């Protein structure tokens, strides 16, 4: 038996509970992992609260990432005792995930725990930080350098936004943070933001083209915000889009793309191939300030995950939440 969060949906309704689970119920997979740490992401909040159609089969253990130690393996790439990290691959949605003390997964979904990080630090980064790194890499590959101009980060208080700010600042970029919580301005500046703007500047319908303000952007919000971000990007700039906190729609025009040569990069962290994942984690080990990482992280026990998921969906959680699955 092991402890985990279990989501069920039946005639009694949709519910999540923290309970004892029989090991015999673990899904198919070549590698069994004793989980040391997990984290709580926006998608996990949707899954636990039922506010979005994230879970695709029931019962489901949520948790889109985890870090732990291999306890059994039928995959020659992994040996008992190996330290591993998992992000995405539908885990916590279609395959039992990381908000539990054990997981069984396909070996190809795992990457080695980087030597630069402990398991806790890897989950402080988690899917959110790994996604932020993919966004930053997209802007770098586009040719945007610190001298190109300001970089906008929307949803700045969230996990992706917080890590993106810390990464960009460490790399020498001037970062503008967009947030709906003006009370968090000091926090965002400690991460490296040079200026703060209210999210209301970007969240309403606007013109197809606006003033050229930013060389690039990391957008975690979508909808009108993403449309306004694209409309304010400088000539031949770029936007890395990875989220939909405001909505999945994109009420924009082609004007920024054909008149200013703006590029919109879609960032997929869930199904990214191994090479891309390993490169992102390697860069995180080099470019992320451990002190900044600790500043954006707070810790909860597994028994607190359900209540914290509700707070997350209410916009009352900032930065990263790591989950000690053993308490």
């Amino acid at each position: 038996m092991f402890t985990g969060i279990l989501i069920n949906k039946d005639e009694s309704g949709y519910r999540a509970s923290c309970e004892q689970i029989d090991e015999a119920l673990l899904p198919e997979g070549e590698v069994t992992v004793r989980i040391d740490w997990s984290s709580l992401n926006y998608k996990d909040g949707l899954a636990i609260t039922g506010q979005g159609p994230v879970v695709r089969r029931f019962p489901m253990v949520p948790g889109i990432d985890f870090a732990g130690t291999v306890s059994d393996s039928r995959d020659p790439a992994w040996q008992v005792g190996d330290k591993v990290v998992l992000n995405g691959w539908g885990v916590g949605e279609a395959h039992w995930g990381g908000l539990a003390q054990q997981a069984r997964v396909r070996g190809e979904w795992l990457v080695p725990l980087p030597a630069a990080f402990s398991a806790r630090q890897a989950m402080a980064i988690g899917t959110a930080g790994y996604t932020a790194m993919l966004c930053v890499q997209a802007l770098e590959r586009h040719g945007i350098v610190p001298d190109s101009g300001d970089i906008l980060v929307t949803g700045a208080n969230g996990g992706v936004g917080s890590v993106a700010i810390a990464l960009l600042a460490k790399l020498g970029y001037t970062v503008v943070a967009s947030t709906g919580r003006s009370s968090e301005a000091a926090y965002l500046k400690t991460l490296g933001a040079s200026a703060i703007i209210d999210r209301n500047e970007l969240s309403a319908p606007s013109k197809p083209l606006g003033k050229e303000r930013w060389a690039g952007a990391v957008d975690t919000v979508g909808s009108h915000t993403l449309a306004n971000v694209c409309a304010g990007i400088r000539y031949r700039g770029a936007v890395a889009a990875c989220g939909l906190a405001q909505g999945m729609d994109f009420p924009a025009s082609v004007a920024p793309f054909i008149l200013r040569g703006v590029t919109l990069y879609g960032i997929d962290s869930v199904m990214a191939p191994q090479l891309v994942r390993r490169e992102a984690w390697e860069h995180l080990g080099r470019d992320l300030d451990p002190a900044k990482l600790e500043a954006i992280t707070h810790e909860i026990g597994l028994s607190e995950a359900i209540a914290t998921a509700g707070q997350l969906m209410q916009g009352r959680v900032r930065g990263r939440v790591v989950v000690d699955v053993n308490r």
Side-chain angles (χ1 to χ4, degrees):
M1 304 293 287
F2 63 95
T3 305
I5 305 295
L6 198 64
I7 300 173
N8 275 287
K9 184 181 181 182
D10 52 30
E11 62 276 5
S12 301
Y14 189 104
R15 63 193 183 279
S17 58
C18 186
E19 58 186 79
Q20 290 290 296
I21 303 171
D22 193 327
E23 291 181 18
L25 298 177
L26 283 168
E28 289 295 317
E30 300 86 28
V31 184
T32 303
V33 179
R34 185 185 72 249
I35 299 173
D36 298 314
W37 293 88
S38 187
S39 72
L40 199 64
N41 300 274
Y42 184 77
K43 189 177 284 186
D44 301 323
L46 290 172
I48 291 171
T49 63
Q51 292 185 33
V54 170
V55 178
R56 299 200 289 274
R57 71 177 184 86
F58 298 90
M60 177 57 59
V61 173
I64 64 173
D65 54 22
F66 63 75
T69 306
V70 173
S71 59
D72 184 72
S73 176
R74 293 183 285 109
D75 184 329
W78 303 106
Q79 306 300 316
V80 172
D82 285 347
K83 302 293 184 180
V84 294
V85 176
L86 183 143
N87 304 106
W89 296 115
V91 168
E93 303 173 70
H95 189 98
W96 280 18
L99 286 171
Q101 293 174 323
Q102 290 193 50
R104 184 174 293 141
V105 297
R106 295 175 62 177
E108 64 195 65
W109 294 348
L110 300 167
V111 298
L113 174 70
F117 302 120
S118 66
R120 185 185 185 279
Q121 287 175 318
M123 284 300 97
I125 296 167
T127 292
Y130 149 66
T131 303
M133 188 74 251
L134 294 178
C135 291
V136 172
Q137 288 178 298
L139 298 182
E140 289 181 318
R141 284 194 300 270
H142 188 79
I144 297 173
V145 297
D147 288 342
S148 298
D150 294 352
I151 306 297
L152 174 70
V153 176
T154 66
N157 282 101
V160 176
S162 294
V163 178
I165 292 169
L167 284 168
L168 289 162
K170 175 75 177 298
L171 292 167
Y173 291 90
T174 301
V175 184
V176 177
S178 169
T179 179
R181 290 179 269 174
S182 57
S183 60
E184 299 286 4
Y187 159 75
L188 295 173
K189 288 185 176 180
T190 64
L191 296 182
S194 297
I196 313 295
I197 64 172
D198 193 288
R199 69 181 178 197
N200 290 330
E201 289 188 35
L202 302 170
S203 61
S206 189
K207 298 177 180 178
L209 279 177
K211 180 182 177 182
E212 296 182 61
R213 302 173 67 181
W214 311 290
V218 174
D219 178 65
T220 70
V221 179
S223 191
H224 290 290
T225 297
L226 177 55
N228 285 317
V229 170
C230 291
I233 296 295
R234 294 179 183 176
Y235 183 71
R236 297 194 68 79
V239 179
C242 64
L244 42 73
Q246 187 179 7
M248 292 183 65
D249 58 325
F250 183 42
S253 80
V254 298
F257 310 111
I258 64 174
L259 297 180
R260 290 184 182 160
V262 170
T263 299
L264 177 59
Y265 291 101
I267 303 301
D268 165 47
S269 63
V270 176
M271 304 302 290
Q274 276 281 348
L275 183 62
V276 171
R277 292 168 182 270
R278 292 182 184 232
E279 182 184 9
W281 278 101
E282 178 185 336
H283 281 243
L284 283 161
R286 185 184 66 216
D287 298 334
L288 185 58
D289 185 340
K292 295 279 182 69
L293 180 62
E294 187 59 33
I296 69 176
T297 303
H298 78 275
E299 178 184 320
I300 63 172
L302 186 62
S303 61
E304 302 169 83
I306 294 173
T308 307
Q311 297 168 9
L312 178 65
M313 299 313 297
Q314 295 167 11
R316 294 164 52 199
V317 174
R318 76 178 185 189
R320 297 287 297 140
V321 180
V322 294
V323 182
D324 181 350
V325 299
N326 295 303
R327 70 171 178 89

